[in-house]
Amino acid sequence: MSKFLQKSLTAAAIVAALGTAGGAFAQELKSEKDKVSYMVGMDVGKGLSSIKDEIDMAVVIQALQASVKGEKTALTQEEALKVRQDFMTKLQAKRAAEEKVKAETNKKAGEDFLAKNKSKKGVTTTASGLQYEVIKAGTGPKPKDTDTVQVHYTGTLLDGTKFDSSVDRGEPATFPLKGVIPGWTEGLQQMPVGSKYKFYIPSNLAYGENGPGPIGPNAMLTFDVELIKIMPPAEAPKAAEAPKAEPAKAEKK
């Protein structure tokens, strides 16, 4: 966090400086220096987006000019360090509060959905709270939790947003059942090879409060899953080659 903040605040000064001269090459980037400068501005602008509402660009410009000219700055280095530390603490507290609200909202939304969904025709609810629906019944064997399987899947959030899909990648995923989220470990053991199921996974059987990437904290997840085959023991080591985007266990943070 401190490195990001330091980079972002430095970047803000650079952007401010570029902004004063922006009109000179807004229409045409003639030289390599112009292009490099503009590229830096674009990159820095993206980095600033998360704190753009926390800074005053006019004040940033004042500090930049004073520092570049070697003039006396309004803050000493020690004072600036204290301001940085206080700001980091404030920003972290703000983001933690936002994540807490998001987690509570997601949890309630998931619970409400599952409470209604369990009465839907064809939906089975297990003792753990996992819900699944048989889309196509297979005739093969069911995997054990010690097996490695090959599947195709598409994962979506409660609002229908797709966050991952082996189908879109055009390559099935291979992984050990003990290496995925609990909802998958349990759900796949209900599936005969050749089946297609729909999983409705409550957050406690998914990623809990540590939702990675687009998956928010306490998010309920839906997966369309096709169990292609149970890997023979000799082929099981290939599980390590499974796509990183597969619905594996969230890293504990």
Side-chain angles (χ1 to χ4, degrees):
M1 178 63 191
S2 59
K3 290 183 178 179
F4 166 76
L5 183 58
Q6 182 175 4
K7 178 180 178 182
S8 296
L9 293 178
T10 302
I14 296 173
V15 170
L18 290 177
T20 61
F25 48 84
Q27 300 300 319
E28 184 178 0
L29 303 175
K30 295 181 178 180
S31 68
E32 180 181 0
K33 184 176 182 179
D34 287 346
K35 293 176 182 178
V36 170
S37 298
Y38 200 82
M39 174 275 294
V40 169
M42 291 173 61
D43 184 55
V44 165
K46 292 179 181 178
L48 276 174
S49 61
S50 64
I51 62 168
K52 65 181 184 298
D53 296 329
E54 309 289 340
I55 56 176
D56 185 325
M57 294 305 294
V59 177
V60 172
I61 292 173
Q62 292 177 15
L64 172 65
Q65 292 175 335
S67 297
V68 170
K69 294 178 181 179
E71 298 175 348
K72 182 178 179 180
T73 56
L75 296 175
T76 65
Q77 288 298 318
E78 291 75 14
E79 290 171 335
L81 178 60
K82 177 65 165 55
V83 171
R84 184 192 306 278
Q85 293 172 335
D86 290 345
F87 179 61
M88 286 168 53
T89 300
K90 173 186 173 183
L91 205 58
Q92 289 170 340
K94 178 182 177 181
R95 290 178 176 171
E98 292 173 346
E99 285 296 295
K100 182 179 180 181
V101 171
K102 188 183 299 184
E104 293 173 349
T105 300
N106 287 344
K107 184 176 182 181
K108 185 177 187 308
E111 290 174 345
D112 290 348
F113 174 86
L114 292 168
K116 295 179 180 178
N117 195 59
K118 68 181 180 181
S119 60
K120 178 182 174 182
K121 183 178 180 181
V123 171
T124 298
T125 302
T126 69
S128 70
L130 170 70
Q131 294 180 3
Y132 65 86
E133 184 177 356
V134 179
I135 307 302
K136 173 188 173 183
T139 58
K142 295 180 180 181
K144 303 182 294 294
D145 65 358
T146 53
D147 286 329
T148 292
V149 297
Q150 186 178 81
V151 305
H152 257 316
Y153 67 90
T154 296
T156 54
L157 303 177
L158 189 56
D159 64 2
T161 300
K162 184 191 301 183
F163 62 83
D164 191 17
S165 175
S166 67
V167 177
D168 290 351
R169 290 193 296 273
E171 182 179 0
T174 302
F175 51 81
L177 281 189
K178 288 187 176 180
V180 292
I181 57 177
W184 269 65
T185 303
E186 179 183 358
L188 280 163
Q189 291 181 78
Q190 314 300 317
M191 299 179 66
V193 171
S195 297
K196 292 183 179 180
Y197 278 29
K198 193 176 193 74
F199 294 162
Y200 303 94
I201 305 180
S203 62
N204 65 304
L205 298 180
Y207 296 95
E209 296 182 351
N210 299 311
I215 301 173
N218 288 339
M220 190 217 87
L221 306 177
T222 300
F223 286 96
D224 291 291
V225 184
E226 176 185 5
L227 178 55
I228 299 172
K229 66 177 178 178
I230 300 171
M231 304 297 287
E235 297 182 43
K238 292 183 180 179
E241 301 171 6
K244 293 182 179 180
E246 71 187 27
K249 275 182 181 172
E251 290 120 357
K252 300 299 182 184
K253 297 179 182 179

